[in-house]
Amino acid sequence: MRQNIIVPFDGSDSAQEALRVAIEMAEKFKESIILINVQPSFTTPHTTLFFKDSDMKEYQQIQYEEAIAPGLRILEEANIPFEAELIIGYPKDEICKEADKRNIRCIVIGSRGHSLFVGSVLGSVSQGVLYRAKCPVMVVPIQPN
């Protein structure tokens, strides 16, 4: 049986809105939230020449902690069960792999993250997850103020 909800989280307003929607769902289903942040892999032949693996991992950890902090505050205030996880790789792929691995109920994702490209309705990650996921995906738009 599928259970629990994955929320990809980058700290953006869109991700925070998606998390709030996921919290409502988790409360109704009496499930947990799995908050994930995907950091890019910096391991290439060129980076390994100039940076130690430990330095790259430390940088990814710092980026993760900064991105996930607002989500942790929201979840702690909501007082529902959750876990937070750092994953390294390509966001679209890793989010879907994590959903498959955990056999979750659904993915709740913001429509746009911290992207340099604006103008389209969906960001590249949310669009990629919609196409690749084998489970239901809910894309949550930012609510106008």
Side-chain angles (χ1 to χ4, degrees):
M1 181 172 153
R2 293 179 179 264
Q3 59 183 15
N4 300 324
I5 301 164
I6 283 183
V7 181
F9 196 84
D10 63 0
S12 66
D13 292 342
S14 184
Q16 290 181 45
E17 189 64 34
L19 180 56
R20 288 182 183 94
V21 169
I23 287 169
E24 290 178 23
M25 290 175 64
E27 288 171 337
K28 289 177 181 164
F29 289 119
K30 296 185 181 3
E31 293 180 346
S32 296
I33 289 188
I34 302 158
L35 195 68
I36 61 173
N37 176 261
V38 182
Q39 291 294 320
S41 171
F42 298 118
T43 306
T44 68
H46 300 291
T47 58
T48 55
L49 287 173
F50 300 106
F51 301 101
K52 291 188 284 185
D53 189 49
S54 61
D55 291 339
M56 288 187 282
K57 287 182 180 177
E58 182 181 342
Y59 178 74
Q60 290 164 324
Q61 184 67 34
I62 290 168
Q63 293 296 107
Y64 161 75
E65 289 171 5
E66 287 177 7
I68 210 97
L72 295 177
R73 282 192 296 274
I74 292 168
L75 284 164
E76 288 165 359
E77 289 174 11
N79 199 30
I80 63 164
F82 72 90
E83 59 185 277
E85 184 174 352
L86 165 62
I87 300 173
I88 306 299
Y90 293 103
K92 301 171 213 180
D93 298 334
E94 297 303 326
I95 292 164
C96 294
K97 281 186 212 174
E98 193 68 15
D100 291 345
K101 179 174 82 175
R102 293 178 180 255
N103 196 30
I104 55 94
R105 175 179 301 281
C106 66
I107 299 168
V108 179
I109 189 169
S111 57
R112 300 201 56 78
H114 288 303
S115 173
L116 299 175
F117 303 105
V118 292
S120 66
V121 175
L122 296 178
S124 61
V125 175
S126 55
Q127 187 171 20
V129 169
L130 269 173
Y131 288 120
R132 291 186 174 122
K134 296 176 186 169
C135 65
V137 177
M138 177 186 290
V139 179
V140 179
I142 291 180
Q143 298 302 313
N145 293 334

